[in-house]
Amino acid sequence: MADGTENTLGRLSAQDYHRIGVRALEAQRLEDAVIALRHAVELNPHMGRTWNDLGVVMEALGNPREAIRCYRQALAVQPDNQDARGNLSMLMLQMNMAHTLRRHAMSAGASY
């Protein structure tokens, strides 16, 4: 199929790349996970689970803005994806708390 879901002519499918990315994430090989998961969503951008997993990796790499973009994309293609919804909510809460703490610290005269 043209949507990247089948392994044809020896080429890896979107699911294959997703599995490779998850294994790399579990092994803490984050850069390898990014590469594999990006290949997966290029082949099939309608895989909400893969977008979520890419968001997890981006968050682990310290790139919260990209993680948010991935979580939102996961929800755009799969609105009932509870993992993406939870991950997005937690990350937004953490970012809001960090912003609030910085603002309070600056108003108290501390600098970060």
Side-chain angles (χ1 to χ4, degrees):
M1 295 174 83
D3 66 0
T5 60
E6 291 183 3
N7 189 344
T8 57
L9 301 175
R11 292 179 45 201
L12 294 177
S13 69
Q15 284 84 358
D16 293 331
Y17 279 114
H18 182 240
R19 280 190 290 275
I20 292 166
V22 169
R23 279 190 231 120
L25 172 60
E26 290 168 348
Q28 295 298 307
R29 295 187 338 268
L30 301 180
E31 297 297 334
D32 292 340
V34 168
I35 292 167
L37 294 170
R38 284 195 191 277
H39 280 304
V41 295
E42 285 173 11
L43 287 171
N44 184 352
H46 303 288
M47 294 174 60
R49 225 175 60 201
T50 305
W51 280 110
N52 177 69
D53 291 340
L54 184 55
V56 169
V57 174
M58 298 313 288
E59 194 172 343
L61 286 170
N63 191 342
R65 294 193 195 296
E66 183 65 14
I68 288 169
R69 188 185 75 76
C70 291
Y71 296 145
R72 285 182 174 157
Q73 186 61 34
L75 291 169
V77 299
Q78 189 182 18
D80 62 341
N81 187 319
Q82 293 304 313
D83 290 334
R85 187 171 310 286
N87 289 338
L88 177 61
S89 295
M90 287 301 296
L91 181 54
M92 296 294 285
L93 179 64
Q94 290 169 0
M95 290 179 70
N96 187 41
M97 288 173 53
H99 176 73
T100 300
L101 289 173
R102 278 193 302 273
R103 195 175 62 226
H104 285 297
M106 294 194 63
S107 68
S111 62
Y112 289 89

